[in-house]
Amino acid sequence: MVTRDTTVDRLDPDQISANLKTKRVGRKVLVYRSTSSTNDVAARYGRNRENDGLAVFAEEQTAGRGRAGSRWQSGKGDSILCSIVLAGSVPHHHLLSLACAVAVAEAIGPAGAARHAKIKWPNDIMLDGKKVAGILVESKAGRDGGFCVVGIGINCHQRADSFAQELREIATSIDVESHSTTDRISLARRLLTCLDHWLEVAQKSSKEVIDRWSELSVQLGQRTALIFNGVKFTGHCVGIDPEKGLILRLDSGGVRMFDAAHTTVAK
Ligand code: BTN
């Protein structure tokens, strides 16, 4: 894997926080040069409710993880690797996950000729049909109640050949799509701002989140194939439920909801 000179746009907690207009997310910002997984660091801080809104960034993870037990790899300084502690009130897990997907897609926005970043349920963020970011929401037990950690990985400076051979057809970075060099500090600030906004919206109205999610979804209105508990289902995606998951009108008849915990999107 090619590594970059990380002094070019090194993440700096003061620059990320300067005049940040957020109420909750990014109230405190930590940046690690290297850590196992920002989700693990955030989980340690999350046991103390005073750390609600803490944002943990890292230039490098030695044990980054993705959904369904997968690994999340990135060269040093190539990505935004960030985890947010939510130790106060949080919306239902699925609605939280939808709100975070909307926030990450909006933070990335359009990139060069690639249209606005889109959402592939449950939590992949896509640019021009390729995955540019992923989100891992983990629920944890704490001393004074449970809390959540929202982990986000956004590919920024990777070149096409930075990705492992088997990922090159399906993964991309903002630099590749925009033909320019992403300013990670600005992106980190937009990310915290968008997360703060959409978490607040989600606390008040699931409808607003669902409406924006629907505009950004690559699957809504499309034919979709899902694997649920090892069984393949095909149909048209007709909606999303804030608590229960993706809604499909099945080719075999009837309408059925699929929850993210037991479902993967078929290749
Ligand atoms: C996925 O698409 O599978 C989710 C990927 C989530 C990766 C991020 S990187 C920051 C945080 N720390 C981790 O170990 N994982 C998340």
Side-chain angles (χ1 to χ4, degrees), residues 59-247:
E59 294 286 12
E60 178 186 56
Q61 295 183 131
T62 53
R65 58 180 179 275
R67 290 185 68 244
S70 64
R71 294 179 70 192
W72 186 265
Q73 289 178 301
S74 166
K76 188 168 194 165
D78 273 349
S79 299
I80 293 282
L81 306 167
C82 170
S83 299
I84 310 294
V85 173
L86 295 176
S89 67
V90 282
H92 183 279
H93 189 90
H94 188 240
L95 180 60
L96 170 65
S97 160
L98 299 178
C100 290
V102 168
V104 176
E106 290 205 334
I108 295 171
R115 284 186 298 246
H116 199 287
K118 297 270 186 174
I119 303 166
K120 183 172 167 192
W121 183 86
N123 263 338
D124 290 351
I125 308 301
M126 316 293 286
L127 271 179
D128 221 7
K130 291 183 173 182
K131 180 166 173 172
V132 69
I135 304 165
L136 177 66
V137 182
E138 295 181 317
S139 301
K140 307 278 177 186
R143 265 200 312 263
D144 15 304
F147 63 95
C148 285
V149 171
V150 177
I152 299 146
I154 307 177
N155 300 333
C156 296
H157 296 317
Q158 288 87 346
R159 303 185 324 225
D161 63 3
S162 307
F163 297 105
Q165 190 70 45
E166 66 275 15
L167 295 178
R168 285 188 196 162
E169 293 296 308
I170 54 171
T172 193
S173 71
I174 303 179
D175 283 10
V176 166
E177 299 302 326
S178 64
H179 302 287
S180 65
T181 305
T182 306
D183 173 355
R184 287 187 307 152
I185 296 202
S186 300
L187 178 59
R189 290 168 59 81
R190 282 203 306 281
L191 177 65
L192 298 180
T193 305
C194 291
L195 284 167
D196 193 64
H197 172 73
W198 283 103
L199 281 172
E200 190 179 9
V201 171
Q203 303 272 35
K204 294 179 190 153
S205 151
S206 60
K207 182 181 179 309
E208 212 179 307
V209 177
I210 300 289
D211 287 350
R212 187 62 181 134
W213 183 93
S214 303
E215 286 168 1
L216 294 172
S217 166
V218 292
Q219 287 138 316
L220 203 63
Q222 303 295 317
R223 282 193 59 72
T224 306
L226 301 175
I227 314 279
F228 175 79
N229 281 342
V231 181
K232 187 169 182 178
F233 293 85
T234 55
H236 271 88
C237 176
V238 291
I240 187 86
D241 182 274
E243 295 188 4
K244 301 203 177 95
L246 201 67
I247 310 170

